[in-house]
PDB file of all heavy atoms in Angstrom:
ATOM      1  N   GLU A 322      97.127 101.812  90.250  1.00 93.00           N
ATOM      2  CA  GLU A 322      98.012 102.280  91.318  1.00 93.00           C
ATOM      3  C   GLU A 322      99.217 101.346  91.469  1.00 93.00           C
ATOM      4  O   GLU A 322     100.349 101.810  91.640  1.00 93.00           O
ATOM      5  CB  GLU A 322      97.256 102.360  92.648  1.00 93.00           C
ATOM      6  CG  GLU A 322      96.257 103.492  92.732  1.00 93.00           C
ATOM      7  CD  GLU A 322      95.419 103.435  94.006  1.00 93.00           C
ATOM      8  OE1 GLU A 322      95.662 102.545  94.859  1.00 93.00           O
ATOM      9  OE2 GLU A 322      94.524 104.287  94.150  1.00 93.00           O
ATOM     10  N   ILE A 323      98.958 100.044  91.413  1.00 94.00           N
ATOM     11  CA  ILE A 323     100.047  99.070  91.560  1.00 94.00           C
ATOM     12  C   ILE A 323     101.041  99.226  90.411  1.00 94.00           C
ATOM     13  O   ILE A 323     102.256  99.237  90.627  1.00 94.00           O
ATOM     14  CB  ILE A 323      99.482  97.632  91.626  1.00 94.00           C
ATOM     15  CG1 ILE A 323      98.763  97.416  92.963  1.00 94.00           C
ATOM     16  CG2 ILE A 323     100.583  96.601  91.453  1.00 94.00           C
ATOM     17  CD1 ILE A 323      97.979  96.124  93.048  1.00 94.00           C
ATOM     18  N   VAL A 324     100.512  99.389  89.189  1.00 93.00           N
ATOM     19  CA  VAL A 324     101.392  99.568  88.034  1.00 93.00           C
ATOM     20  C   VAL A 324     102.187 100.859  88.186  1.00 93.00           C
ATOM     21  O   VAL A 324     103.401 100.892  87.937  1.00 93.00           O
ATOM     22  CB  VAL A 324     100.568  99.563  86.721  1.00 93.00           C
ATOM     23  CG1 VAL A 324     101.389 100.040  85.542  1.00 93.00           C
ATOM     24  CG2 VAL A 324     100.000  98.173  86.458  1.00 93.00           C
ATOM     25  N   GLU A 325     101.516 101.925  88.601  1.00 93.00           N
ATOM     26  CA  GLU A 325     102.202 103.213  88.784  1.00 93.00           C
ATOM     27  C   GLU A 325     103.260 103.106  89.875  1.00 93.00           C
ATOM     28  O   GLU A 325     104.379 103.624  89.711  1.00 93.00           O
ATOM     29  CB  GLU A 325     101.182 104.311  89.132  1.00 93.00           C
ATOM     30  CG  GLU A 325     101.754 105.702  89.136  1.00 93.00           C
ATOM     31  CD  GLU A 325     102.248 106.150  87.776  1.00 93.00           C
ATOM     32  OE1 GLU A 325     101.698 105.717  86.753  1.00 93.00           O
ATOM     33  OE2 GLU A 325     103.215 106.933  87.751  1.00 93.00           O
ATOM     34  N   ASP A 326     102.923 102.432  90.975  1.00 92.00           N
ATOM     35  CA  ASP A 326     103.914 102.225  92.043  1.00 92.00           C
ATOM     36  C   ASP A 326     105.105 101.423  91.532  1.00 92.00           C
ATOM     37  O   ASP A 326     106.256 101.732  91.860  1.00 92.00           O
ATOM     38  CB  ASP A 326     103.286 101.513  93.243  1.00 92.00           C
ATOM     39  CG  ASP A 326     102.304 102.403  93.992  1.00 92.00           C
ATOM     40  OD1 ASP A 326     102.324 103.628  93.758  1.00 92.00           O
ATOM     41  OD2 ASP A 326     101.524 101.859  94.809  1.00 92.00           O
ATOM     42  N   ALA A 327     104.828 100.409  90.720  1.00 92.00           N
ATOM     43  CA  ALA A 327     105.913  99.589  90.172  1.00 92.00           C
ATOM     44  C   ALA A 327     106.783 100.430  89.247  1.00 92.00           C
ATOM     45  O   ALA A 327     108.018 100.324  89.279  1.00 92.00           O
ATOM     46  CB  ALA A 327     105.343  98.385  89.421  1.00 92.00           C
ATOM     47  N   ARG A 328     106.162 101.299  88.448  1.00 93.00           N
ATOM     48  CA  ARG A 328     106.937 102.184  87.570  1.00 93.00           C
ATOM     49  C   ARG A 328     107.809 103.127  88.401  1.00 93.00           C
ATOM     50  O   ARG A 328     108.982 103.323  88.093  1.00 93.00           O
ATOM     51  CB  ARG A 328     106.007 103.004  86.679  1.00 93.00           C
ATOM     52  CG  ARG A 328     105.449 102.233  85.527  1.00 93.00           C
ATOM     53  CD  ARG A 328     104.617 103.109  84.622  1.00 93.00           C
ATOM     54  NE  ARG A 328     103.934 102.297  83.636  1.00 93.00           N
ATOM     55  CZ  ARG A 328     102.752 102.559  83.146  1.00 93.00           C
ATOM     56  NH1 ARG A 328     102.095 103.624  83.535  1.00 93.00           N
ATOM     57  NH2 ARG A 328     102.198 101.764  82.256  1.00 93.00           N
ATOM     58  N   ASP A 329     107.182 103.720  89.438  1.00 93.00           N
ATOM     59  CA  ASP A 329     107.950 104.622  90.303  1.00 93.00           C
ATOM     60  C   ASP A 329     109.114 103.887  90.950  1.00 93.00           C
ATOM     61  O   ASP A 329     110.232 104.413  91.016  1.00 93.00           O
ATOM     62  CB  ASP A 329     107.041 105.228  91.389  1.00 93.00           C
ATOM     63  CG  ASP A 329     106.025 106.198  90.819  1.00 93.00           C
ATOM     64  OD1 ASP A 329     106.199 106.626  89.655  1.00 93.00           O
ATOM     65  OD2 ASP A 329     105.062 106.525  91.540  1.00 93.00           O
ATOM     66  N   GLU A 330     108.845 102.692  91.414  1.00 92.00           N
ATOM     67  CA  GLU A 330     109.907 101.911  92.057  1.00 92.00           C
ATOM     68  C   GLU A 330     111.006 101.563  91.053  1.00 92.00           C
ATOM     69  O   GLU A 330     112.199 101.632  91.371  1.00 92.00           O
ATOM     70  CB  GLU A 330     109.327 100.638  92.665  1.00 92.00           C
ATOM     71  CG  GLU A 330     110.305  99.890  93.533  1.00 92.00           C
ATOM     72  CD  GLU A 330     109.656  98.721  94.259  1.00 92.00           C
ATOM     73  OE1 GLU A 330     108.452  98.775  94.546  1.00 92.00           O
ATOM     74  OE2 GLU A 330     110.385  97.748  94.524  1.00 92.00           O
ATOM     75  N   ALA A 331     110.610 101.242  89.829  1.00 93.00           N
ATOM     76  CA  ALA A 331     111.601 100.933  88.792  1.00 93.00           C
ATOM     77  C   ALA A 331     112.444 102.163  88.488  1.00 93.00           C
ATOM     78  O   ALA A 331     113.672 102.069  88.337  1.00 93.00           O
ATOM     79  CB  ALA A 331     110.907 100.431  87.525  1.00 93.00           C
ATOM     80  N   VAL A 332     111.792 103.333  88.421  1.00 93.00           N
ATOM     81  CA  VAL A 332     112.527 104.569  88.166  1.00 93.00           C
ATOM     82  C   VAL A 332     113.504 104.827  89.317  1.00 93.00           C
ATOM     83  O   VAL A 332     114.666 105.192  89.091  1.00 93.00           O
ATOM     84  CB  VAL A 332     111.550 105.753  87.977  1.00 93.00           C
ATOM     85  CG1 VAL A 332     112.264 107.087  88.050  1.00 93.00           C
ATOM     86  CG2 VAL A 332     110.809 105.607  86.658  1.00 93.00           C
ATOM     87  N   GLN A 333     113.028 104.640  90.543  1.00 93.00           N
ATOM     88  CA  GLN A 333     113.904 104.849  91.699  1.00 93.00           C
ATOM     89  C   GLN A 333     115.059 103.853  91.693  1.00 93.00           C
ATOM     90  O   GLN A 333     116.207 104.225  91.981  1.00 93.00           O
ATOM     91  CB  GLN A 333     113.106 104.730  92.997  1.00 93.00           C
ATOM     92  CG  GLN A 333     112.170 105.892  93.233  1.00 93.00           C
ATOM     93  CD  GLN A 333     111.328 105.711  94.491  1.00 93.00           C
ATOM     94  OE1 GLN A 333     111.440 104.702  95.170  1.00 93.00           O
ATOM     95  NE2 GLN A 333     110.488 106.701  94.777  1.00 93.00           N
ATOM     96  N   LEU A 334     114.767 102.598  91.378  1.00 92.00           N
ATOM     97  CA  LEU A 334     115.837 101.596  91.313  1.00 92.00           C
ATOM     98  C   LEU A 334     116.854 101.962  90.229  1.00 92.00           C
ATOM     99  O   LEU A 334     118.067 101.839  90.440  1.00 92.00           O
ATOM    100  CB  LEU A 334     115.252 100.205  91.041  1.00 92.00           C
ATOM    101  CG  LEU A 334     114.543  99.526  92.209  1.00 92.00           C
ATOM    102  CD1 LEU A 334     113.877  98.242  91.743  1.00 92.00           C
ATOM    103  CD2 LEU A 334     115.526  99.234  93.333  1.00 92.00           C
ATOM    104  N   ARG A 335     116.356 102.415  89.098  1.00 92.00           N
ATOM    105  CA  ARG A 335     117.250 102.805  88.011  1.00 92.00           C
ATOM    106  C   ARG A 335     118.112 103.997  88.433  1.00 92.00           C
ATOM    107  O   ARG A 335     119.319 104.023  88.182  1.00 92.00           O
ATOM    108  CB  ARG A 335     116.436 103.138  86.767  1.00 92.00           C
ATOM    109  CG  ARG A 335     117.308 103.469  85.591  1.00 92.00           C
ATOM    110  CD  ARG A 335     116.491 103.687  84.365  1.00 92.00           C
ATOM    111  NE  ARG A 335     117.387 103.973  83.246  1.00 92.00           N
ATOM    112  CZ  ARG A 335     116.979 104.224  82.047  1.00 92.00           C
ATOM    113  NH1 ARG A 335     115.693 104.189  81.777  1.00 92.00           N
ATOM    114  NH2 ARG A 335     117.828 104.493  81.093  1.00 92.00           N
ATOM    115  N   ARG A 336     117.454 104.980  89.083  1.00 93.00           N
ATOM    116  CA  ARG A 336     118.192 106.154  89.541  1.00 93.00           C
ATOM    117  C   ARG A 336     119.260 105.751  90.551  1.00 93.00           C
ATOM    118  O   ARG A 336     120.415 106.183  90.471  1.00 93.00           O
ATOM    119  CB  ARG A 336     117.233 107.178  90.154  1.00 93.00           C
ATOM    120  CG  ARG A 336     117.896 108.482  90.563  1.00 93.00           C
ATOM    121  CD  ARG A 336     116.906 109.449  91.208  1.00 93.00           C
ATOM    122  NE  ARG A 336     116.086 108.868  92.246  1.00 93.00           N
ATOM    123  CZ  ARG A 336     116.486 108.643  93.508  1.00 93.00           C
ATOM    124  NH1 ARG A 336     117.711 108.937  93.875  1.00 93.00           N
ATOM    125  NH2 ARG A 336     115.663 108.116  94.392  1.00 93.00           N
ATOM    126  N   ARG A 337     118.874 104.887  91.499  1.00 93.00           N
ATOM    127  CA  ARG A 337     119.848 104.416  92.490  1.00 93.00           C
ATOM    128  C   ARG A 337     120.979 103.637  91.813  1.00 93.00           C
ATOM    129  O   ARG A 337     122.149 103.793  92.178  1.00 93.00           O
ATOM    130  CB  ARG A 337     119.177 103.535  93.546  1.00 93.00           C
ATOM    131  CG  ARG A 337     118.557 104.363  94.653  1.00 93.00           C
ATOM    132  CD  ARG A 337     118.129 103.473  95.799  1.00 93.00           C
ATOM    133  NE  ARG A 337     116.676 103.639  95.908  1.00 93.00           N
ATOM    134  CZ  ARG A 337     115.792 102.686  96.041  1.00 93.00           C
ATOM    135  NH1 ARG A 337     116.177 101.437  96.119  1.00 93.00           N
ATOM    136  NH2 ARG A 337     114.522 102.945  96.113  1.00 93.00           N
ATOM    137  N   ALA A 338     120.626 102.832  90.822  1.00 92.00           N
ATOM    138  CA  ALA A 338     121.651 102.066  90.102  1.00 92.00           C
ATOM    139  C   ALA A 338     122.591 103.015  89.363  1.00 92.00           C
ATOM    140  O   ALA A 338     123.818 102.819  89.385  1.00 92.00           O
ATOM    141  CB  ALA A 338     121.003 101.094  89.121  1.00 92.00           C
ATOM    142  N   GLU A 339     122.022 104.045  88.729  1.00 92.00           N
ATOM    143  CA  GLU A 339     122.861 105.022  88.041  1.00 92.00           C
ATOM    144  C   GLU A 339     123.755 105.754  89.032  1.00 92.00           C
ATOM    145  O   GLU A 339     124.935 106.007  88.751  1.00 92.00           O
ATOM    146  CB  GLU A 339     121.995 106.012  87.261  1.00 92.00           C
ATOM    147  CG  GLU A 339     121.350 105.405  86.032  1.00 92.00           C
ATOM    148  CD  GLU A 339     120.356 106.343  85.360  1.00 92.00           C
ATOM    149  OE1 GLU A 339     120.072 107.438  85.912  1.00 92.00           O
ATOM    150  OE2 GLU A 339     119.854 105.981  84.284  1.00 92.00           O
TER     151      GLU A 339
END
Side-chain angles (χ1 to χ4, degrees):
E322 288 173 3
I323 289 171
V324 168
E325 189 64 30
D326 290 345
R328 283 184 188 147
D329 291 345
E330 189 173 331
V332 166
Q333 289 177 359
L334 286 173
R335 183 176 181 181
R336 184 182 49 79
R337 276 190 242 134
E339 288 173 354

